[in-house]
Amino acid sequence: MIQESTDGRVEVQALSADGKAAASVRTTANGPQTNGKTSVWTPSSWTTKPIKQDVVYDDRQAVEKALTKLERLPPIVTPTEICKLKKNLRDVALGKAFLLQGGDCAELFDYCESNMIESKIKLLLQMSLVLIYGAHKPVVRIARMAGQFAKPRSSPTEQYNGKTIPAFRGDNINGYDPCDRTPDPSRLLSAYFHSATTLNYIRASLGSGIADLHSPLDWELGHVKDESIKAKYERIVDSITESLRFMRTVGADSAASGLETVDLYTSHEGLLLEYEQSLTRKLKAPIYDTTVCSQALDNNGRQWYNTSAHFLWIGDRTRQIHGAHVEYFRGIANPIGIKVGPTMSSSELVSLLDIVNPSKEIGKITLITRFGEHNISPLLPDHIRAVKQSGHVVVWQCDPMHGNTFTTAQGIKTRHFSSILSEVSSALKIHKEEGSFLGGVHLELTGEPVTECVGGSEGLKDEDLNTNYMSYCDPRLNEKQALELAFLVAGFYRSG
């Protein structure tokens, strides 16, 4: 905070009490000791809870300096944008729209570059057009961009040249180079500026017509080797193209029609709570926001928003009911996601929903199921029934990536396209059988021609992975595989 002293000098205030609590818990290995529910939520009440996937820094002074700066910096996103997304997700929860969420497994600071940003925007746009065609619904687009840096890891350390070194935790924590693995609090500030710059370019690109449907789209399908599949995709492209041509002909492509631009929201896993806390601000809720629970507002009509992104999610490794991450997430007004893996019981899921959404706001919570193709059939039906019985109305989203990862004989981490497709198709089928509906998909993808997942119409095999394997973490669908998945999901909807 900046304030003016009595003699006219501008002074920088010290770190807030919330910030000091975060700095303290981040520079001690002992961690918080409290297990019970905190009666009053504050941005730092998470510091009283046990925490998983925590980062311990060596230099408390450096942590305080970074958090002090973060607390002074302006929000990256606004309450108006957040509330608009909440309204859209309410429509998804009620079956009126479809949610497409995708992007990198873990962003690198180097990905803050115009061509890479544009390629992901264009890919998400094309995929959404195909899904609109298939589902006959508007598509809500959320990118895993502008903040998706930190990644949970199965082990905090790894072996390198016979030595034990810290694992790479993401660019906002440490570097990928083995010599740069000590957690560095200055990277928190770098994460802010790279996020803000990325979102600034996204907004500028959308405002300058990158998503203008008057412009021709590249639907190149030369990679599809099966002629019958290729012909099917071409029919879908022809139908989309003809629809856009018809709208132009009858004059339905005016500025008011929405063909010149689209909404694209940002998201990331809310893993690094000292960062999230620093960008949690008490701001005035938009007066038209009918989703606001009056109990959440103070006397000035304000509530707590996380302004680092429009949408954040709790990971499968940090969803402990009495843990720090759930404590933090229960207090913010943003729409939030919860990863639901094979170890989540139905009773635990309902208890978690009651904690983070006690008012049962429709669409506030997105349940991101990530079971794996072999686990989804025995597990998803019970979860759907339990949530229905609880009275919560959520967005059901399928993450077909994380439950289908395997390592090749050559030691390369990958995923098979057929497994990804299988989990999505199973989710669609199960939801229909249970009288529910799949609200969206959550994908790790890139607009670049990487070779990280095998299968698909390109016919990538294990031996092809080294051709252009670029991920520092988990394997992503390349642009052709991602678009093909959209075609296939559209086909599922079209076939009923």
Side-chain angles (χ1 to χ4, degrees):
M1 301 267 186
I2 297 178
Q3 64 179 12
E4 186 172 313
S5 64
T6 54
D7 60 0
R9 290 180 292 107
V10 173
E11 297 178 340
V12 178
Q13 285 186 318
L15 184 62
S16 68
D18 284 330
K20 289 180 179 177
S24 175
V25 77
R26 293 279 56 83
T27 51
T28 174
N30 296 325
Q33 303 298 320
T34 304
N35 263 330
K37 181 177 178 180
T38 303
S39 57
V40 178
W41 185 91
T42 69
S44 66
S45 57
W46 64 269
T47 62
T48 68
K49 305 290 183 179
I51 188 168
K52 299 288 186 181
Q53 298 288 323
D54 57 323
V55 179
V56 178
Y57 297 98
D58 294 335
D59 187 345
R60 175 168 177 167
Q61 186 175 4
V63 174
E64 291 190 352
K65 181 179 180 181
L67 298 186
T68 301
K69 178 67 173 176
L70 283 172
E71 287 184 349
R72 290 176 50 205
L73 291 168
I76 296 176
V77 302
T78 68
T80 298
E81 295 170 334
I82 293 169
C83 292
K84 187 175 182 181
L85 174 58
K86 286 174 71 177
K87 184 175 183 295
N88 291 341
L89 290 176
R90 178 185 173 88
D91 288 341
V92 176
L94 295 174
K96 300 176 182 178
F98 190 85
L99 171 59
L100 171 63
Q101 188 168 5
D104 291 299
C105 165
E107 283 182 282
L108 298 179
F109 292 160
D110 285 346
Y111 293 174
C112 185
E113 183 269 333
S114 59
N115 291 330
M116 298 187 77
I117 295 171
E118 287 179 8
S119 68
K120 282 192 274 281
I121 296 174
K122 291 176 181 176
L123 176 58
L124 289 170
L125 172 64
Q126 283 186 288
M127 292 177 71
S128 66
L129 287 176
V130 174
L131 292 168
I132 290 170
Y133 163 85
H136 293 294
K137 296 177 181 179
V139 170
V140 180
R141 306 165 187 86
I142 303 180
R144 290 173 58 115
M145 291 173 68
Q148 177 52 16
F149 299 115
K151 286 294 292 183
R153 305 311 297 260
S154 56
S155 172
T157 61
E158 63 185 29
Q159 294 297 310
Y160 177 77
N161 287 344
K163 295 181 179 180
T164 301
I165 63 172
F168 174 57
R169 303 285 299 276
D171 260 0
N172 59 345
I173 297 173
N174 58 5
Y176 186 75
D177 190 307
C179 298
D180 195 20
R181 295 295 178 86
T182 300
D184 179 1
S186 71
R187 287 178 172 268
L188 297 171
L189 289 171
S190 294
Y192 172 92
F193 288 113
H194 282 88
S195 298
T197 303
T198 298
L199 183 52
N200 178 66
Y201 190 71
I202 290 173
R203 287 175 172 141
S205 297
L206 292 174
S208 300
I210 192 174
D212 189 342
L213 296 184
H214 297 94
S215 304
L217 295 168
D218 179 14
W219 294 101
E220 197 276 315
L221 297 171
H223 65 283
V224 183
K225 297 177 181 178
D226 187 306
E227 289 301 321
S228 63
I229 295 177
K230 184 176 181 179
K232 180 180 178 181
Y233 294 167
E234 286 175 339
R235 285 195 296 272
I236 294 175
V237 170
D238 289 344
S239 179
I240 294 171
T241 304
E242 183 60 31
S243 297
L244 294 173
R245 186 181 299 120
F246 174 79
M247 292 182 73
R248 286 194 291 271
T249 301
V250 300
D253 62 341
S254 64
S257 69
L259 290 187
E260 282 79 11
T261 189
V262 298
D263 289 322
L264 181 63
Y265 301 99
T266 61
S267 68
H268 61 258
E269 179 176 355
L271 189 64
L272 209 56
L273 294 183
E274 58 269 34
Y275 177 82
E276 306 302 344
Q277 174 192 304
S278 299
L279 288 168
T280 302
R281 310 290 167 79
K282 201 167 195 178
L283 302 171
K284 196 169 185 62
I287 57 173
Y288 60 82
D289 180 16
T290 58
T291 67
V292 171
C293 177
S294 59
Q295 294 93 325
L297 300 176
D298 68 8
N299 293 333
N300 295 313
R302 301 176 305 169
Q303 59 182 344
W304 291 103
Y305 294 92
N306 180 304
T307 64
S308 71
H310 302 106
F311 179 98
L312 296 95
W313 71 87
I314 307 173
D316 196 41
R317 291 188 174 103
T318 54
R319 55 170 173 74
Q320 296 76 24
I321 286 178
H322 298 298
H325 289 82
V326 170
E327 170 62 23
Y328 171 77
F329 272 76
R330 77 178 179 92
I332 58 175
N334 305 58
I336 62 174
I338 301 171
K339 287 289 185 86
V340 181
T343 60
M344 173 87 84
S345 69
S346 295
S347 60
E348 182 184 9
L349 176 56
V350 172
S351 296
L352 194 50
L353 288 172
D354 288 341
I355 291 171
V356 296
N357 189 24
S359 63
K360 296 186 178 179
E361 180 183 334
I362 298 175
K364 159 81 173 179
I365 308 298
T366 296
L367 295 180
I368 311 165
T369 59
R370 41 149 294 171
F371 298 117
E373 65 170 327
H374 301 301
N375 291 322
I376 185 169
S377 294
L379 294 174
L380 180 56
D382 285 344
H383 284 153
I384 294 174
R385 294 168 200 155
V387 172
K388 265 188 177 182
Q389 190 174 2
S390 74
H392 287 277
V393 181
V394 302
V395 174
W396 287 101
Q397 187 183 40
C398 177
D399 168 4
M401 310 295 293
H402 286 89
N404 295 303
T405 308
F406 69 95
T407 303
T408 68
Q410 294 75 35
I412 301 174
K413 188 190 288 188
T414 189
R415 292 158 174 159
H416 204 292
F417 184 87
S418 63
S419 298
I420 294 168
L421 177 62
S422 173
E423 184 161 359
V424 175
S425 61
S426 293
L428 284 163
K429 176 175 176 287
I430 292 167
H431 277 286
K432 187 175 182 179
E433 291 172 347
E434 294 295 330
S436 176
F437 48 85
L438 180 64
V441 290
H442 187 121
L443 306 170
E444 291 186 338
L445 53 79
T446 177
E448 308 302 315
V450 300
T451 54
E452 296 170 3
C453 292
V454 295
S457 294
E458 284 183 285
L460 291 179
K461 299 179 174 61
D462 289 2
E463 52 267 31
D464 299 318
L465 291 174
N466 282 323
T467 303
N468 194 29
Y469 197 103
M470 302 297 291
S471 177
Y472 286 82
C473 198
D474 289 340
R476 303 160 293 177
L477 296 169
N478 63 31
E479 82 284 14
K480 293 174 181 177
Q481 292 169 324
L483 190 56
E484 180 177 4
L485 185 65
F487 279 129
L488 292 168
V489 172
F492 289 145
Y493 275 102
R494 281 274 168 165
S495 63

